[in-house]
Amino acid sequence: MQQLIRRTLRGRKFIVVSNREPYIHTRRDGRLEALRPASGMALALDPVMQATGGLWVAHGSGDADREVADGRGCLRLPPEKPSYTLKRVWLSKQQEEGYYYGFANSALWPLCHIAYRRPVFRQRDWERYQEVNQLFADAVAEEIGPEPAFVFVQDYHLALLPRLLKERCPRATVALFWHIPWPNPEVFRICPWKTDLLHGLLGSDILGFHIRYHCNNFIDTVDRELEARPDREMTAIVYRGETTKIRSFPISVDFEAIDREAGRRAVRLRMQELRDQLGLQSQLVGVGIDRADYTKGIPERLRALDRFLDLYPDYHGRFAFVQVAVPSRLHVEEYRRLNEEVDALVEEINWKHGAGAWKPIVYINRHLDPVHLYALYRLARFCLVSSLHDGMNLVAKEFVAARGDDGGVLLLSQFTGAARELREAIVINPYAIDCLAEQIAQALAMDEREMRTRMRRLRETVRERNVYKWAADIIRKLGKLP
Ligand code: ADQ
């Protein structure tokens, strides 16, 4: 990876820009801590940045972030093995409210995910979104100036940045990766600022999505909304004389690292502790691990478990499902409602089916350290990913990477990008509750040989298509540009 980067960069700077930072500094009981956010994008890019060095520009969101950064907002990371620089961009409360909670997460997020939540478009949010994209452009331009550089922009928070950068730093080569789905033109057309967004995105030399389907949706959207020439053969768009290549790059996880860490003694010890603490001694265990988000289909999953327990009383007392949901975006009303709904469902299902000390659902609503996560993956007879819509879904790939014992069944929503690659999973439709209940029973009853054969194949896929391949493919494409 390092060699590839050096060869491709030919002395040029490599800069990653994202809203979320890879480490958040905070004070807990007076002690300084560096937390890893539960964000698929930040977790995926950290190993890549460790391999490449370079600079990462992101919003400084932790309450102790300023304490550890220098006058330019910079510090070296990761804390235990500094190998790259993080430059923090400071935002006011109002900017964060309008840009992050407002336009990014109340308008673009529901617009791009078909989860039947109505986007909210507020003029004020849009203004903040523009303002913050401009701030990010300032921070990057300050670092590269007129020099040639590679800038790799992440996600829907920064859709205007590629164009702003091209105006400020004409010698920069810019790629943007869109981590969430791109909807079809019928859905996208309701956005009041759709042409500004497309104009901003088409400042990129390369625009990446997880799967081909999202690329096609994007090309169709541009075809409908802008005076631009889509070149379907080349999967590119020519707009005002400039070409943007549209490509799919399925993101993944650091397979080798997860495989190694999940096989350690500390994880085995934690598995035993968890069995004791959660009262899971001789039980079959299912797990679900998510950011608490309405796109992840957590209520649908709980309803299917309820149905399964109705249909298969033999499993009462012999089965438990551990649902981990780390709260996120709590300033958005829809997310608070989701947490209430999940709390109520867990309570209701445990009351309805529970007996004596046995409860079918164990609910953990906090952030877990990697040892804890891997211990849960390793304990599980099955992992249930029931997203209503998901760009990729890294939990599915982490589960596979953590199963060095070749055990465990993956139940995976057909509406995730991951379902295109992980063919040996049991493919589910989270809206079809009765069918999903039967598939849970199928996962629990699957014979050992079939389970192991499926898992071995899944592991081959994730081992080969790991996060370094994702990054290398993008960097190689950047290197081929004139
Ligand atoms: P996310 O929607 O954040 O990512 P996902 O890909 O599932 O979703 O990644 C979540 C990450 O958070 C995983 O690495 C998981 O281990 C971690 N996590 C979840 N709950 C946790 C907990 N309680 N404690 C600790 N860690 C936890 C967006 C898109 C996805 C896309 C990614 C990457 O929505 O579709 O896969 O970006 O492109």
Side-chain angles (χ1 to χ4, degrees):
M1 182 81 182
Q2 270 159 344
Q3 278 170 7
L4 168 77
I5 296 278
R6 247 176 254 129
R7 261 201 326 268
T8 314
L9 296 182
R10 299 187 297 271
R12 283 173 284 191
K13 276 199 173 152
F14 183 68
I15 300 180
V16 163
V17 196
S18 66
N19 168 69
R20 178 68 73 221
E21 49 182 350
Y23 292 82
I24 302 176
H25 285 92
T26 148
R27 283 213 173 262
R28 203 183 290 169
D29 305 326
R31 259 186 331 149
L32 187 66
E33 283 183 15
L35 300 179
R36 316 282 321 269
S39 142
M41 180 282 303
L43 294 170
L45 269 166
D46 185 58
V48 174
M49 280 307 273
Q50 290 191 38
T52 57
L55 178 73
W56 188 330
V57 179
H59 167 213
S61 59
D63 55 27
D65 271 0
R66 282 178 197 264
E67 280 180 48
V68 289
D70 66 17
R72 284 170 49 242
C74 293
L75 72 154
R76 298 281 294 163
L77 286 175
E80 63 289 353
K81 192 172 135 226
S83 43
Y84 65 91
T85 300
L86 171 67
K87 175 173 176 164
R88 286 174 165 152
V89 174
W90 310 116
L91 303 182
S92 69
K93 274 257 157 60
Q94 290 80 358
Q95 284 169 332
E96 194 178 347
E97 179 68 36
Y99 139 85
Y100 180 75
Y101 293 106
F103 193 70
N105 286 315
S106 301
L108 282 178
W109 180 268
L111 181 72
C112 292
H113 287 92
I114 304 192
Y116 304 97
R117 296 300 197 281
R118 201 178 169 130
V120 182
F121 300 110
R122 285 180 288 246
Q123 177 70 30
R124 213 188 31 211
D125 292 347
W126 169 241
E127 282 160 17
R128 297 274 188 245
Y129 185 85
Q130 291 171 289
E131 191 178 306
V132 171
N133 271 251
Q134 191 68 58
L135 279 181
F136 273 90
D138 295 343
V140 177
E142 215 173 87
E143 297 298 322
I144 52 180
E147 298 304 316
F150 281 131
V151 188
F152 186 20
V153 182
Q154 308 302 315
D155 231 354
Y156 62 102
H157 314 88
L158 300 170
L160 307 178
L161 187 59
R163 173 73 52 202
L164 295 171
L165 282 177
K166 276 290 160 96
E167 285 163 6
R168 306 271 297 268
C169 316
R171 294 178 72 200
T173 305
V174 182
L176 183 139
F177 191 80
W178 192 263
H179 289 258
I180 63 176
W182 189 276
N184 65 47
E186 289 302 320
V187 170
F188 192 74
R189 68 177 182 169
I190 66 165
C191 177
W193 304 286
K194 55 192 173 186
T195 47
D196 306 72
L197 287 167
L198 295 173
H199 177 73
L201 285 167
L202 290 174
S204 318
D205 298 282
I206 295 179
L207 190 51
F209 297 93
H210 292 298
I211 57 174
R212 194 56 199 263
Y213 184 60
H214 301 154
C215 297
N216 292 342
N217 278 347
F218 182 80
I219 295 174
D220 291 346
T221 306
V222 171
D223 199 13
R224 184 83 67 90
E225 302 294 347
L226 289 185
E227 287 287 320
R229 185 164 54 82
D231 184 336
R232 285 176 200 276
E233 204 125 294
M234 304 285 293
T235 50
I237 286 166
V238 183
Y239 174 60
R240 299 189 176 173
E242 304 284 345
T243 301
T244 302
K245 295 206 157 91
I246 315 296
R247 291 286 183 280
S248 64
F249 303 100
I251 204 169
S252 190
V253 295
D254 187 346
F255 179 92
E256 301 296 340
I258 296 177
D259 186 40
R260 191 175 57 239
E261 294 303 314
R264 286 198 195 284
R265 191 157 165 268
V267 171
R268 282 199 298 280
L269 291 176
R270 189 67 70 89
M271 285 166 70
Q272 195 46 52
E273 278 167 28
L274 283 173
R275 282 202 177 276
D276 295 342
Q277 264 172 24
L278 306 176
L280 304 173
Q281 280 317 333
S282 55
Q283 293 172 13
L284 288 165
V285 176
V287 297
I289 292 174
D290 310 83
R291 243 181 349 89
D293 194 298
Y294 54 80
T295 60
K296 304 291 180 187
I298 302 170
E300 287 73 6
R301 181 182 316 176
L302 293 171
R303 287 198 188 95
L305 285 159
D306 178 28
R307 190 86 190 102
F308 159 76
L309 291 163
D310 284 338
L311 293 171
Y312 294 91
D314 280 3
Y315 280 106
H316 286 207
R318 294 204 296 128
F319 164 76
F321 189 80
V322 182
Q323 175 62 53
V324 186
V326 57
S328 81
R329 306 177 191 168
L330 285 175
H331 300 297
V332 180
E333 171 66 30
E334 200 68 59
Y335 286 74
R336 289 199 295 271
R337 258 209 299 274
L338 171 76
N339 289 345
E340 284 164 19
E341 185 184 1
V342 171
D343 281 344
L345 269 170
V346 170
E347 176 66 36
E348 190 186 313
I349 296 170
N350 280 341
W351 184 82
K352 176 174 159 193
H353 299 283
W358 176 72
K359 280 190 189 148
I361 314 283
V362 175
Y363 181 43
I364 305 174
N365 58 354
R366 62 188 160 81
H367 191 273
L368 302 182
D369 62 56
V371 173
H372 203 144
L373 274 186
Y374 301 152
L376 281 174
Y377 286 142
R378 287 294 277 252
L379 266 182
R381 166 72 194 202
F382 69 84
C383 175
L384 175 46
V385 175
S386 54
S387 311
L388 306 181
H389 205 185
D390 217 330
M392 174 55 67
N393 192 282
L394 292 179
V395 169
K397 292 187 172 180
E398 284 168 9
F399 173 63
V400 168
R403 295 308 297 248
D405 61 341
D406 294 339
V409 179
L410 176 63
L411 289 149
L412 180 60
S413 163
Q414 60 187 274
F415 309 119
T416 60
R420 312 274 166 138
E421 293 174 272
L422 303 180
R423 299 286 181 176
E424 289 79 16
I426 298 183
V427 175
I428 63 151
N429 174 350
Y431 291 97
I433 303 288
D434 295 287
C435 181
L436 179 50
E438 293 295 346
Q439 288 172 308
I440 291 170
Q442 184 196 343
L444 287 172
M446 188 181 283
D447 76 67
E448 288 278 316
R449 250 194 44 211
E450 180 179 352
M451 178 173 78
R452 286 181 196 291
T453 308
R454 282 178 186 251
M455 184 49 83
R456 270 197 289 272
R457 294 207 184 118
L458 287 169
R459 285 173 59 78
E460 277 162 32
T461 305
V462 182
R463 176 181 281 123
E464 192 187 313
R465 302 189 196 169
N466 58 36
V467 72
Y468 296 105
K469 178 172 174 358
W470 171 76
D473 285 350
I474 296 174
I475 291 165
R476 230 178 263 124
K477 269 268 147 16
L478 274 170
K480 282 193 189 143
L481 292 172

